Amino acid sequence: MTPYLVSKFQKATLSALIRESFDADFADIFSKPQVSYLFKYLKELKAEGVLLEPDYIDREFLEDFSNYYVKRFGNDGYVCSRLHFFKCPISHNDMDELLLGRPDAKLTAEYLQENYLGFIVVKPLTKTFVGKTCLRVVGEPNLGPGVRKKIARRYDVSLFGIDLYVDSIAFQEQDKVVAACATTAVWTALHGFPGRDVRSVTSCSQITTTALDLEDSSGNGFPNLELSNEQIQRALDAEGLRYHTTQLRERSSDWFADYVAAHVDSNLPIILTGMVYGLNRAPERKFDVVARGGHAITLLGYDFRDGVRSIYMHDDRLGPYARAQIISLKKLLGKDTPPGMADTWVIAISRRSDTGVWEKKAHEFLLPEVSVALAAKKARLAYTYAHTTAQRINVEVDKWMSTLSHVLGIDNQPTSHTIQLVTVSEARQGVLAFDASSQLGSSLVAGEYRLEVTETILERWEQDKIKFLTSHIARWQWQIDFLWGDHRTFRILLDATDIPSGNAVSGVFIFDLIYGRITLGAFKEIMTKLDPPEQPHFYNAFLRSLKRHADDYAGNLQKKYGALRAPNYLKDDEVSDTGEGKNRTTKSFYDPSEKRLRSMFSAISKDRYRNLIWAIGKDGILYVAEDITKPVVLGHPSMTGLQPARIAGEMWCEFDGKKHIWHVNSESGRYSRDYSTPSVYLENAIRKISSIFPTEKFVLGGQRPRAEEAPANTPIKDNIATDPQSNSTA
């Protein structure tokens, strides 16, 4: 037995190694379009070396063999072979040294991995021998949502104990017995689905058997000619997957392009079915359109740069990541377009030339009929709802920004959006990594209009970010990012597990503190102008979400008095056995008080070297208590009940010769820490304190006077007795 064979990657050697796999006289290898395609694909990957692993057991073919081929008289067995491709030349001697573990071996496992391009399984079938194929993705890397992406997953490979891997999506040609094109499309989609282990994907024969078993009127399972759209869906049902089916003839090409980008950006493959038509040039230079029958493919990528809308698909008749173009039939056929079909869009399929370049002229096209987009089991809302919601919001943003740009004299930019289905973890990671601090000080100036990012705006944004990250929301979300020109303005999350009649908006997050706030300003004047409830979008839920945010009491408290802070630390003497604060002088205020602060704390108001402590509670309550230092120190947590609070500090009373004035600061080491703009919160707190005690004067204070700073023998003046504004009840 030959343990393995290596060779230089060439057309002749590739053909010879395939023949060598089973010592069989296959038909002309390169007459198969799949082999020709794979050869050109590998040439583009700059393959130089190929290794034949002659005896390989492929789990999926083993299942196909046991389900059908084992009963075939004269079958060629279940043992496959596998071809491995490298971007570097390799030799038998180098491989032997590596396998023998020689310390001076030229080849290393790391070097092989660096140059590994993937593998092709060769099945022991005379005609349809191209089995599971995983090759490195060709072309540039992914360029971001709405621009360019191809779905790929990691496949681990063990080559004689050498651990390798390749990022790809498995491809194979249909064998016309256990796997028609629809079955192969389902198989490929299962490999591309992110929630499925690639080592446990159901075999083609089992997919076909399941689909036919679930069909009430099904006949013999094999040979299988095709699966209907209903059978495709039943096969996915048996896999425990959710999917969303769309009739594509009702959709525009623009909608379809957005649909493809949204799902591919979400790493979700799409099964596409329709009719294939061949294009032949007639002698009179007219197109001869020939119907070739129904077909199914799996969409796995797109490239929408330079005004060309290309998609990438696994087409079992061609190969992996075959390129096609979304195009109108009028543009494809010109004057030969059938009457009434000028606006019809199709997917034009091209071949690779011998040099590996995609040919400009299509040789056939697919007229799409139905798409089946795979999704997570709990993702009930289809892409349609996210798309229509985004479009509806864009209508208002576009009108608003167009008018505003004209008024301000700035260039108007096109509005757009991108959509992805993400987990809550992925949504939060994208927000967590975003830092808006670099926008501090940036401004938009247009005539007399000026909008600047201040520290207050930045701090409020940071608080909103934390709320966005910590809110309890469902695992699956449709993530919609809105753009105005090149500015990514804001993001909406739609609960993909909700129902069409629900309030699916999970959150709104601003990226651009200038343009994001401007674009959301479009909805301030139309908060109550709701759409009819039967509309297939969540625009009304979006408006209600903005209104809740604007009217949110807790959010308002946070903006005015700072985010909640737990006590920085607690002292044992501040906590009672019941877990409550021990400061018995504490008083709480929600509304204006009938009594004056000086009458409630008369001893403090008489002594400028004694003070009160105060804090704004989590629900907006004002706490005031004596600052007790003897026999034990009872600080701010001893009056708030040891609960989280907002801005907090000290108050003391001084007489200026005419009236008593309360000085207020935010010197609380337990609560008033690490605020970016504590002065703003202190000013708001002073206004609140003044509203509760309207007959008294409160001003911004610095450090309170200390008793040890008083001159010797300085008498303490009775502030109440000499206060001109005092009354008999003071």
Side-chain angles (χ1 to χ4, degrees), residues 338-354:
M341 298 188 70
D343 295 330
T344 301
W345 61 273
V346 298
I347 295 176
I349 304 172
S350 303
R351 295 190 181 98
R352 285 182 183 270
S353 67
D354 291 338

Side-chain angles (χ1 to χ4, degrees), residues 174 181-182 272-276 293-297 314-317 349 364 366:
Q174 59 163 304
C181 62
L272 191 65
T273 65
M275 290 292 295
V276 174
H295 190 44
I297 59 175
H314 275 23
D315 186 337
D316 67 277
R317 303 168 311 139
I349 304 172
E364 63 183 13
L366 174 72

Side-chain angles (χ1 to χ4, degrees), residues 328-343:
S328 69
L329 203 56
K330 175 69 175 178
K331 187 173 182 180
L332 180 65
L333 300 180
K335 62 182 180 180
D336 298 328
T337 305
M341 298 188 70
D343 295 330

Side-chain angles (χ1 to χ4, degrees), residues 298-309:
T298 307
L299 294 182
L300 295 168
Y302 70 91
D303 187 342
F304 293 163
R305 293 175 297 172
D306 303 324
V308 178
R309 296 189 294 196

Side-chain angles (χ1 to χ4, degrees), residues 205-255:
S205 60
Q206 188 58 50
I207 291 171
T208 301
T209 299
T210 302
L212 296 178
D213 283 347
L214 293 171
E215 175 64 46
D216 294 337
S217 59
S218 64
N220 293 326
F222 306 115
N224 177 42
L225 299 178
E226 63 181 7
L227 296 181
S228 66
N229 289 324
E230 291 78 10
Q231 288 170 328
I232 291 174
Q233 295 171 44
R234 289 185 175 113
L236 294 175
D237 285 335
E239 294 291 330
L241 295 176
R242 185 174 293 277
Y243 51 85
H244 302 294
T245 304
T246 306
Q247 299 292 330
L248 294 176
R249 286 300 95 206
E250 304 170 0
R251 305 292 182 176
S252 68
S253 60
D254 291 339
W255 184 94

